[in-house]
Amino acid sequence: MSVLDKIAQIRIVPLVTLDDPNDAVPLAHALVEGGIPVAEVTFRTAVGGEVIERMAKEVPEIIVGSGTVHDIDHAMETRDRGGKFVITPGFNPKVVDWCIKHDMPVCPGTVTPSDLEQALDFGLNTVKFFPAGAYGGVKTLKALAGPYAMMKFVPTGGVNLDNLLEFLSLKNVAACGGSFVPPSSAVKAKDWKAVTETCKKIVSMVKSLG
């Protein structure tokens, strides 16, 4: 089973942005214990690469990859640090091409039919839909399901606990990503138990869909 298929089974992609790399391992454990063993570690801070490496080496149960990847250098760093996937905010053909040629699962950002045509040209069938809220959310995804029935989406940006199930109930949604997990307040407070409890609540919500 591919990495993206495993993520589609879990259905949630936690967005992780850390300033302190020492938080990497306890946060990873908290996510695993909460039943969401995935982490999209963003390169929005200087320690993103170190966070990926620590999670990958010390918490092998978690599927850790990178987010906010704008260039090939960060895609390479993801691989070299032990990351298992790359997520980009927009469709960058150079990054996608590098990932495919180096067997790195990639989930590029898309919002328009033109983006999706590029994704199809590269042979991709799972893409990010970002920023989901600003580009019509559930309504747009329903509209795209007709001409792009072969495509699965990971909506991110504007997804929260209030609309999560509405997104996940769509047949063309593989998983949802966002900063609703782990809660930033809990991470800042280093309250790993709160992170685990939030994950368990979300897992319970997802299971309610059947």
Short mmCIF file of all heavy atoms in Angstrom, two decimals, residues 158-185:
data_model
loop_
_atom_site.label_atom_id
_atom_site.label_comp_id
_atom_site.label_asym_id
_atom_site.label_seq_id
_atom_site.Cartn_x
_atom_site.Cartn_y
_atom_site.Cartn_z
N GLY A 158 -9.12 26.32 5.83
CA GLY A 158 -10.55 26.55 6.05
C GLY A 158 -11.28 25.31 6.52
O GLY A 158 -12.48 25.35 6.77
N VAL A 159 -10.56 24.21 6.67
CA VAL A 159 -11.15 22.99 7.22
C VAL A 159 -10.99 23.03 8.73
O VAL A 159 -9.91 23.33 9.24
CB VAL A 159 -10.48 21.72 6.65
CG1 VAL A 159 -11.10 20.47 7.26
CG2 VAL A 159 -10.57 21.69 5.13
N ASN A 160 -12.07 22.75 9.45
CA ASN A 160 -12.02 22.78 10.91
C ASN A 160 -12.96 21.71 11.48
O ASN A 160 -13.60 20.97 10.72
CB ASN A 160 -12.39 24.17 11.45
CG ASN A 160 -13.71 24.67 10.89
OD1 ASN A 160 -14.72 23.98 11.00
ND2 ASN A 160 -13.71 25.85 10.28
N LEU A 161 -13.04 21.64 12.79
CA LEU A 161 -13.86 20.60 13.42
C LEU A 161 -15.35 20.77 13.12
O LEU A 161 -16.10 19.80 13.19
CB LEU A 161 -13.63 20.59 14.93
CG LEU A 161 -12.22 20.19 15.39
CD1 LEU A 161 -12.13 20.19 16.91
CD2 LEU A 161 -11.83 18.82 14.83
N ASP A 162 -15.76 21.99 12.76
CA ASP A 162 -17.17 22.23 12.46
C ASP A 162 -17.59 21.71 11.09
O ASP A 162 -18.74 21.31 10.89
CB ASP A 162 -17.50 23.72 12.56
CG ASP A 162 -17.39 24.25 13.99
OD1 ASP A 162 -17.68 23.47 14.92
OD2 ASP A 162 -17.01 25.42 14.16
N ASN A 163 -16.66 21.74 10.12
CA ASN A 163 -17.03 21.31 8.77
C ASN A 163 -16.29 20.05 8.31
O ASN A 163 -16.45 19.61 7.17
CB ASN A 163 -16.82 22.44 7.75
CG ASN A 163 -15.38 22.92 7.68
OD1 ASN A 163 -14.44 22.21 8.04
ND2 ASN A 163 -15.19 24.14 7.20
N LEU A 164 -15.48 19.48 9.19
CA LEU A 164 -14.65 18.33 8.83
C LEU A 164 -15.46 17.18 8.24
O LEU A 164 -15.12 16.65 7.18
CB LEU A 164 -13.88 17.84 10.07
CG LEU A 164 -13.03 16.57 9.90
CD1 LEU A 164 -11.92 16.81 8.88
CD2 LEU A 164 -12.44 16.14 11.24
N LEU A 165 -16.54 16.81 8.89
CA LEU A 165 -17.32 15.67 8.42
C LEU A 165 -18.01 15.96 7.10
O LEU A 165 -18.23 15.05 6.29
CB LEU A 165 -18.35 15.25 9.48
CG LEU A 165 -17.77 14.73 10.80
CD1 LEU A 165 -18.88 14.21 11.70
CD2 LEU A 165 -16.74 13.64 10.55
N GLU A 166 -18.35 17.23 6.86
CA GLU A 166 -18.97 17.60 5.59
C GLU A 166 -17.98 17.35 4.44
O GLU A 166 -18.36 16.85 3.38
CB GLU A 166 -19.39 19.08 5.63
CG GLU A 166 -20.25 19.50 4.46
CD GLU A 166 -20.72 20.94 4.55
OE1 GLU A 166 -20.31 21.66 5.50
OE2 GLU A 166 -21.49 21.35 3.68
N PHE A 167 -16.72 17.69 4.67
CA PHE A 167 -15.70 17.43 3.65
C PHE A 167 -15.45 15.93 3.49
O PHE A 167 -15.42 15.40 2.38
CB PHE A 167 -14.38 18.12 4.03
CG PHE A 167 -14.30 19.56 3.65
CD1 PHE A 167 -14.48 20.57 4.60
CD2 PHE A 167 -14.03 19.94 2.35
CE1 PHE A 167 -14.40 21.91 4.25
CE2 PHE A 167 -13.94 21.27 1.98
CZ PHE A 167 -14.13 22.27 2.94
N LEU A 168 -15.27 15.24 4.61
CA LEU A 168 -14.93 13.81 4.55
C LEU A 168 -16.05 12.95 4.00
O LEU A 168 -15.81 11.83 3.54
CB LEU A 168 -14.54 13.31 5.94
CG LEU A 168 -13.19 13.79 6.49
CD1 LEU A 168 -12.98 13.27 7.91
CD2 LEU A 168 -12.04 13.35 5.59
N SER A 169 -17.27 13.45 4.02
CA SER A 169 -18.39 12.68 3.48
C SER A 169 -18.41 12.65 1.96
O SER A 169 -19.12 11.84 1.36
CB SER A 169 -19.72 13.24 4.01
OG SER A 169 -19.95 14.54 3.50
N LEU A 170 -17.63 13.53 1.32
CA LEU A 170 -17.56 13.55 -0.14
C LEU A 170 -16.74 12.36 -0.64
O LEU A 170 -15.67 12.06 -0.11
CB LEU A 170 -16.93 14.85 -0.63
CG LEU A 170 -17.66 16.15 -0.27
CD1 LEU A 170 -16.87 17.35 -0.81
CD2 LEU A 170 -19.06 16.15 -0.83
N LYS A 171 -17.21 11.71 -1.69
CA LYS A 171 -16.53 10.53 -2.22
C LYS A 171 -15.16 10.85 -2.81
O LYS A 171 -14.29 9.99 -2.87
CB LYS A 171 -17.40 9.85 -3.27
CG LYS A 171 -18.64 9.18 -2.69
CD LYS A 171 -19.43 8.47 -3.76
CE LYS A 171 -20.66 7.77 -3.17
NZ LYS A 171 -21.45 7.07 -4.22
N ASN A 172 -14.98 12.11 -3.26
CA ASN A 172 -13.70 12.45 -3.88
C ASN A 172 -12.71 13.08 -2.90
O ASN A 172 -11.68 13.59 -3.31
CB ASN A 172 -13.90 13.36 -5.09
CG ASN A 172 -14.55 14.69 -4.75
OD1 ASN A 172 -15.14 14.84 -3.68
ND2 ASN A 172 -14.46 15.65 -5.66
N VAL A 173 -13.00 13.02 -1.61
CA VAL A 173 -12.08 13.51 -0.59
C VAL A 173 -11.37 12.32 0.06
O VAL A 173 -12.00 11.47 0.69
CB VAL A 173 -12.80 14.35 0.48
CG1 VAL A 173 -11.89 14.63 1.67
CG2 VAL A 173 -13.26 15.67 -0.14
N ALA A 174 -10.04 12.28 -0.12
CA ALA A 174 -9.24 11.18 0.44
C ALA A 174 -8.98 11.39 1.93
O ALA A 174 -9.04 10.47 2.73
CB ALA A 174 -7.92 11.07 -0.30
N ALA A 175 -8.67 12.64 2.28
CA ALA A 175 -8.35 13.00 3.66
C ALA A 175 -8.45 14.51 3.78
O ALA A 175 -8.56 15.22 2.78
CB ALA A 175 -6.94 12.53 4.03
N CYS A 176 -8.44 15.00 5.00
CA CYS A 176 -8.46 16.44 5.23
C CYS A 176 -7.22 16.85 6.03
O CYS A 176 -6.81 16.14 6.95
CB CYS A 176 -9.71 16.86 6.01
SG CYS A 176 -11.21 16.91 5.01
N GLY A 177 -6.65 17.98 5.68
CA GLY A 177 -5.50 18.49 6.41
C GLY A 177 -5.81 19.82 7.04
O GLY A 177 -6.75 20.52 6.64
N GLY A 178 -5.02 20.17 8.05
CA GLY A 178 -5.23 21.47 8.65
C GLY A 178 -4.59 21.63 10.00
O GLY A 178 -4.09 20.66 10.59
N SER A 179 -4.61 22.85 10.47
CA SER A 179 -3.98 23.17 11.75
C SER A 179 -4.93 22.97 12.93
O SER A 179 -4.58 23.30 14.06
CB SER A 179 -3.49 24.62 11.73
OG SER A 179 -4.53 25.51 11.38
N PHE A 180 -6.12 22.40 12.67
CA PHE A 180 -7.03 22.09 13.77
C PHE A 180 -6.46 20.96 14.62
O PHE A 180 -6.90 20.74 15.75
CB PHE A 180 -8.43 21.77 13.25
CG PHE A 180 -8.48 20.63 12.26
CD1 PHE A 180 -8.66 19.32 12.69
CD2 PHE A 180 -8.38 20.88 10.90
CE1 PHE A 180 -8.72 18.28 11.77
CE2 PHE A 180 -8.45 19.85 9.98
CZ PHE A 180 -8.61 18.54 10.41
N VAL A 181 -5.52 20.24 14.06
CA VAL A 181 -4.79 19.22 14.81
C VAL A 181 -3.34 19.21 14.32
O VAL A 181 -3.10 19.22 13.12
CB VAL A 181 -5.44 17.83 14.65
CG1 VAL A 181 -5.49 17.37 13.19
CG2 VAL A 181 -4.71 16.78 15.50
N PRO A 182 -2.37 19.29 15.23
CA PRO A 182 -2.53 19.46 16.67
C PRO A 182 -2.90 20.90 17.02
O PRO A 182 -2.45 21.82 16.33
CB PRO A 182 -1.15 19.10 17.21
CG PRO A 182 -0.22 19.52 16.11
CD PRO A 182 -0.93 19.19 14.84
N PRO A 183 -3.73 21.10 18.05
CA PRO A 183 -4.11 22.47 18.44
C PRO A 183 -2.87 23.29 18.81
O PRO A 183 -2.04 22.83 19.60
CB PRO A 183 -5.00 22.26 19.67
CG PRO A 183 -5.40 20.82 19.63
CD PRO A 183 -4.29 20.09 18.96
N SER A 184 -2.73 24.45 18.22
CA SER A 184 -1.54 25.27 18.46
C SER A 184 -1.38 25.64 19.93
O SER A 184 -0.25 25.71 20.44
CB SER A 184 -1.57 26.54 17.61
OG SER A 184 -2.73 27.30 17.89
N SER A 185 -2.50 25.85 20.61
CA SER A 185 -2.42 26.22 22.03
C SER A 185 -1.82 25.09 22.86
O SER A 185 -1.02 25.32 23.77
CB SER A 185 -3.82 26.57 22.57
OG SER A 185 -4.72 25.48 22.39
#
